[in-house]
Structures are given as structure tokens and as C-alpha cells.
Amino acid sequence: MIKHILLLLAIALPTAARAADPVEFGVGAFPFERPSGWQWVVPSSPMRKAQLAVPGQDGPAEVTFFHFGAGQGGGVQANVDRWFGQFQDAKTSQSREMAGRTGVTIVRATGNFLSGMPGGPTTPMPGYALLGAILESPEGDVFVKMTGPAATVASAGEAFLKMVNDAGAR
């Protein structure tokens, strides 16, 4: 009888643990707050410090967070160029803002996203978009990138920018 109860608890635990997914989490020097309706995802790579899923009518978008430490991960422009390089026939833009005392580079791209690992095979994803932010810090920049169907990224853009700006301003 006790074995059956323990088995039922073990089966139910992953569901119960999902309720404990963090709303607030840190990446590098920055405290982020997960926007309402966005889902916490266990990072699919050890390079990712956090990962979120954004629901959308045309399909979900993925938000990934990277931090490599001081002087690591390449410079701001090298990452912007790499992100733009993940698109074909893209419309792109880049701007720099301040969130409190934090310099933030905002990156946008729409077009055919080439999904896959850098240097490996890619899968073209037409009608995709990227909204990215690079938060500058002496402790190492933090790279935040949302990719997915253009309509999903566009509808989540305001929440993404608020999340990034709030983290940079703290």
C-alpha cells in the first residue's frame, strides 16, 4: 500500500513541481521576472541560463537567456551580426537604449529564420521573427533572444521589452 502511494506521489511530482516554476530568476547581474502567461522551460542546453515559451496563435516563440561571464561570449556587435546571420531575406534593425544605468542593445529581424546549431545543418523557418536584447554589464553581458512566428513575437514584444528594461533598471 505504501509503495502505491509513493508511486502515485512520484508520478504527480512533475506536475506539482511545475507550479513552483520561478516567476523571478537571475541571469548574470540581472533579476528577471517572467511575464504572465509565459511558461518556464527547463533549458535545452547547458549554455542556456534560462528558457521560456511564449504561447501564440501561430505557434509558440522561444525566449533564451545566455551569460558567459566577464569578457566572454563575444562583443555586442559580434552577437548582433550572428543573430542577423540566422536569417535570410531579412528586414533588420538595431538600436541602443538605457535601462537605468544599463546599456541595452535591442535587435529585431523578420524573414526566413535558419533554425539549428551554429555551423551545423539548418532548417529554414519562413515568416519568423527575432526580438533580442543585450544587457551590458562588467560582470558579463546577458543575451536574451526571442524567436518564433512573426505574429507571436510581435504580440509578445511589449512584454519582452518590459521584462528586459525592468531587469536592466534594477
Side-chain angles (χ1 to χ4, degrees):
M1 176 79 164
I2 291 178
K3 284 185 181 180
H4 293 288
I5 292 171
L6 291 175
L7 179 60
L8 287 173
L9 285 173
I11 292 169
L13 188 57
T15 303
R18 294 215 52 83
D21 289 345
V23 172
E24 295 180 359
F25 58 96
V27 178
F30 302 102
F32 290 91
E33 187 170 321
R34 178 169 46 99
S36 177
W38 294 18
Q39 299 160 345
W40 180 261
V41 176
V42 174
S44 62
S45 160
M47 290 179 60
R48 296 178 177 191
K49 301 304 178 196
Q51 187 171 327
L52 304 173
V54 181
Q57 193 169 13
D58 291 347
E62 176 181 72
V63 182
T64 53
F65 297 76
F66 298 89
H67 175 255
F68 303 103
Q72 302 296 310
V76 170
Q77 194 59 49
N79 279 276
V80 169
D81 293 343
R82 186 175 52 75
W83 289 354
F84 286 163
Q86 293 177 307
F87 279 80
Q88 289 178 327
D89 305 320
K91 179 179 177 184
T92 62
S93 69
Q94 172 182 347
S95 62
R96 188 166 187 283
E97 307 171 358
M98 295 299 291
R101 295 182 182 166
T102 303
V104 181
T105 298
I106 303 295
V107 177
R108 290 181 168 85
T110 57
N112 294 316
F113 179 61
L114 301 175
S115 177
M117 295 296 291
T122 59
T123 303
M125 310 286 286
Y128 260 52
L130 173 148
L131 177 56
I134 302 171
L135 292 91
E136 300 169 23
S137 170
E139 296 163 21
D141 296 343
V142 171
F143 307 90
V144 186
K145 181 172 78 165
M146 176 170 52
T147 55
T152 303
V153 171
S155 67
E158 187 176 326
F160 177 92
L161 293 173
K162 180 178 181 345
M163 174 185 68
V164 166
N165 285 323
D166 287 353
R170 291 186 191 173

